[in-house]
Amino acid sequence: MTDSERVAAVYRRTMSSGRARLAEVLGGQMEVESSGAWITTSQGEKYLNVGGYGVFITGARHPTVVREVERQLRSHPIGTRIFLEPVAARAAELLTSVTPPGLERVHFSGSGTEAVEAAIKIARLNGRRRLVSMTGGYHGKTLGALSVTARSTFQAPFRPLLPDVTHVPFGDVDALAATLRQHPGEACVIVEPVQGEGGVVIPPPGYLRAVRAVCSEYGALLVVDEVQTGLGRLGAWWGCDAEGVSPDILLSGKALGGAVMPVAATIATSEVFTVLDRDPILHTSTFSAAPIAMAAVCGAMLAIQEDDLIERAAALGARLTPELERIVAAHLPHHPYEVRGAGLLIGIEFADPAMAADLFMALVTHNVVANLSLNSDHVVRLTPPATMTESDVAFLFDRFEQAVTLVAERNPEYEVLTDA
């Protein structure tokens, strides 16, 4: 039995037999090392990582992040939560220095779904018990977050979920206004600037600004979920920035830990956050603002600024999306598709979900790691690091073209089947 087979057996026995089956389909590789945009397997094979669900905006093991975390590891990694922790204060200051105006209070947590849960609880404490989210939106899988994650595949096995939740079409401000009009002063709206897990769905220009306006008109709290889109992923610090929107609550995560530690944050205005000031133990978590995680946040914020990763993400995205579209158009001209992107959040959508799965597998075959979208099985999603080098970009274009060529060879009769 090989090492990979032994690990797969342990997965089946103690963790997830589904993950073990998926690993076998993908060749049974084990990732054991990462650096920059690359992953190395136990067999010494290297893969370009343009997946990772948006975590790797700084690349893997960025030296600035590693330096901050190592320093904290040697001194004080986990706190008692009795005394004040200076590294948490530093992380909060660095984070709020780049958020939209008015967002100056922070609750740190370990994952994006925890950040959503904190936002829901803050909304309830502010009298907004009715939740409104968008069709296709993804906000996590804990029970409260799952209630606003609008996909029945994930929801159905766990119903009943939270009551008083409404889903309206993404991009449709009139539908949102009609819902809020029925419950003035009672609602909390949660929305993504671009739907990542929904398949890189980009709303019409001005949408987020219009959402802010109708929330203000009807007294609804606005939560903008930037767990995937924030910290440079869209070529700006936040998706909010493009339209000058300041929500009541902003959610961050994924890249916030610098691809070294799992960290997320719920960032709010003082007006809505003050409800938590009344009792410091009302909403807590053992590992919230753990010093080692806060060191990672500090490292991530410094790395993004010192390496100009916001600007690099915008410039790199402007190069990648049109070239990937050119490649798909050249090799799959008769297959309905759409390539769309905002910064370094890029989606390739096919009318046939089997084509998306085929492209995903072909990319892995050609040493490129991407992602399928959790809320859309028609879309292959790319979330490359902003630290990619010119040789990394050349590798991506070359291997992407090889993968698309392979997909074209496997699917030569799609046009005939469609016409039939």
Side-chain angles (χ1 to χ4, degrees):
M1 182 181 290
T2 66
D3 288 345
S4 177
E5 289 171 338
R6 277 192 289 272
V7 170
V10 173
Y11 263 75
R12 282 191 295 270
R13 187 173 69 250
T14 65
M15 295 173 62
S16 169
S17 59
R19 284 291 305 277
R21 288 194 302 271
L22 178 60
E24 290 170 356
V25 170
L26 295 175
Q29 295 278 20
M30 295 189 298
E31 55 186 81
V32 296
E33 186 178 340
S34 58
S35 179
W38 294 88
I39 295 169
T40 304
T41 71
S42 57
Q43 298 175 10
E45 196 163 359
K46 293 185 179 296
Y47 288 78
L48 181 69
N49 181 17
V50 294
Y53 298 99
V55 169
F56 295 94
I57 196 71
T58 58
R61 293 198 297 121
H62 190 287
T64 300
V65 183
V66 171
R67 182 188 69 233
E68 295 285 332
V69 171
E70 285 182 338
R71 180 188 299 135
Q72 196 64 40
L73 183 63
R74 288 192 297 267
S75 60
H76 184 54
I78 300 293
T80 66
R81 296 193 58 78
I82 298 298
F83 303 121
L84 300 178
E85 295 159 357
V87 68
R90 181 178 174 226
E93 278 194 322
L94 286 171
L95 181 56
T96 56
S97 72
V98 299
T99 51
L103 295 167
E104 51 195 22
R105 306 296 299 278
V106 185
H107 172 77
F108 287 107
S109 54
S111 65
T113 192
E114 291 177 70
V116 174
E117 296 286 347
I120 290 172
K121 292 175 76 174
I122 291 171
R124 285 194 166 192
L125 289 173
N126 279 276
R128 273 62 166 213
R129 303 184 66 86
R130 294 184 175 274
L131 301 174
V132 182
S133 65
M134 311 303 149
T135 303
Y138 183 91
H139 306 288
K141 291 176 181 169
T142 52
L143 207 60
L146 182 61
S147 300
V148 290
T149 293
R151 192 177 191 195
S152 60
T153 300
F154 300 135
Q155 288 189 339
F158 304 103
R159 289 175 178 148
L161 301 171
L162 293 183
D164 301 323
V165 178
T166 303
H167 306 304
V168 299
F170 184 59
D172 189 339
V173 179
D174 291 338
L176 175 61
T179 297
L180 297 183
R181 194 177 299 121
Q182 299 175 37
H183 307 287
E186 300 178 2
C188 171
V189 174
I190 181 167
V191 62
E192 300 157 273
V194 174
Q195 290 189 332
E197 298 297 347
V200 191
V201 181
I202 301 171
Y207 171 67
L208 203 59
R209 189 165 54 248
V211 169
R212 169 74 277 180
V214 296
C215 285
S216 297
E217 181 179 357
Y218 294 107
L221 285 187
L222 174 59
V223 178
V224 177
D225 185 341
E226 299 235 28
V227 169
Q228 185 163 169
T229 58
L231 301 174
R233 178 57 58 190
L234 302 184
W237 272 108
W238 311 98
C240 294
D241 294 343
E243 298 186 7
V245 169
S246 290
D248 300 293
I249 300 174
L250 180 73
L251 308 181
S252 181
K254 295 192 185 294
L256 186 60
V260 173
M261 294 294 296
V263 190
T266 305
I267 314 152
T269 64
S270 291
E271 182 181 1
V272 302
F273 193 90
T274 190
V275 292
L276 290 181
D277 289 334
R278 301 170 192 164
D279 185 346
I281 62 172
L282 188 61
H283 181 70
T284 60
S285 169
T286 299
F287 296 110
S288 173
I292 195 167
M294 297 298 94
V297 172
C298 293
M301 303 304 293
L302 293 172
I304 291 170
Q305 295 179 73
E306 292 171 356
D307 289 0
D308 297 320
L309 296 187
I310 305 297
E311 294 77 8
R312 289 173 67 175
L316 188 55
R319 287 179 59 195
L320 294 185
T321 300
E323 179 61 12
L324 297 176
E325 182 170 18
R326 183 199 66 76
I327 292 169
V328 176
H331 295 280
L332 296 169
H334 305 302
H335 295 257
Y337 74 89
E338 183 179 0
V339 179
R340 50 185 179 263
L344 291 178
L345 181 57
I346 303 167
I348 301 101
E349 179 172 10
F350 294 98
D352 183 354
M355 290 283 289
D358 200 11
L359 176 58
F360 170 75
M361 293 294 297
L363 286 169
V364 173
T365 299
H366 289 89
N367 294 80
V368 175
V369 173
N371 289 125
L372 291 168
S373 294
L374 291 177
N375 269 10
S376 176
D377 51 9
H378 292 254
V379 178
V380 176
R381 190 165 82 264
L382 276 59
T383 52
T387 56
M388 287 179 73
T389 65
E390 284 300 315
S391 62
D392 295 340
V393 172
F395 184 92
L396 174 60
F397 287 154
D398 176 64
R399 295 306 178 92
F400 185 83
E401 186 152 24
Q402 291 185 44
V404 171
T405 300
L406 180 59
V407 171
E409 292 170 352
R410 289 172 176 170
N411 299 272
E413 300 179 354
Y414 186 82
E415 185 180 21
V416 175
L417 293 174
T418 302
D419 290 342

